[in-house]
Amino acid sequence: EVQLVESGGGLVQPGGSLRLSCAASGFSFSRYAMRWYRQAPGTERELVATINTSGGSTLYADSVKGRFTISRDNVKNTVYLQMNSLKPEDTAVYYCNGVGVQAPGNYWGQGTQVTVSS
């Protein structure tokens, strides 16, 4: 069974930090580029960050550049999103996504809630 399970979300004050994790199973994780998306109430889902299969190349949305870091561990089959200097505008459900490279799969997790509020 293919699974992507996000964890690490919660309530944090502005300026604080959270580290999200996404544990993958049931597919060849190291052959998939991984992405983090987020969706706030009443908005479209937006791409936050992406990382290639080896972890050597990353891209970020302008809104999070310099504050968020995406990384992956191909031994643990896990992708991470380190979020620093959090703002209320970062409040959203964060989703993990895997896209196959030389593979057909496109998989999504269930999401984890991040709330930034004082």
Side-chain angles (χ1 to χ4, degrees):
E1 182 184 7
V2 171
Q3 284 191 311
L4 291 173
V5 181
E6 300 97 335
S7 62
L11 176 64
V12 64
Q13 293 185 334
S17 297
L18 285 174
R19 191 193 196 199
L20 306 184
S21 298
C22 174
S25 61
F27 66 99
S28 298
F29 178 80
S30 64
R31 300 185 187 274
Y32 281 68
M34 301 300 297
R35 297 169 175 176
W36 286 98
Y37 286 80
R38 67 186 182 186
Q39 187 168 25
T43 72
E44 296 183 358
R45 187 171 298 186
E46 65 172 337
L47 177 64
V48 175
T50 185
I51 189 167
N52 72 339
T53 55
S54 70
S57 181
T58 58
L59 292 171
Y60 299 91
D62 288 342
S63 58
V64 308
K65 196 172 298 180
R67 300 188 297 120
F68 290 12
T69 302
I70 187 172
S71 61
R72 68 190 295 159
D73 187 331
N74 285 350
V75 175
K76 295 182 177 180
N77 289 350
T78 303
V79 62
Y80 306 94
L81 186 67
Q82 178 67 47
M83 305 185 295
N84 298 326
S85 301
L86 283 162
K87 305 174 180 179
E89 307 95 273
D90 297 317
T91 296
V93 177
Y94 284 72
Y95 297 91
C96 180
N97 168 242
V99 179
V101 177
Q102 298 292 308
N106 188 352
Y107 305 123
W108 291 86
Q110 292 293 103
T112 185
Q113 176 71 49
V114 172
T115 302
V116 185
S117 176
S118 59

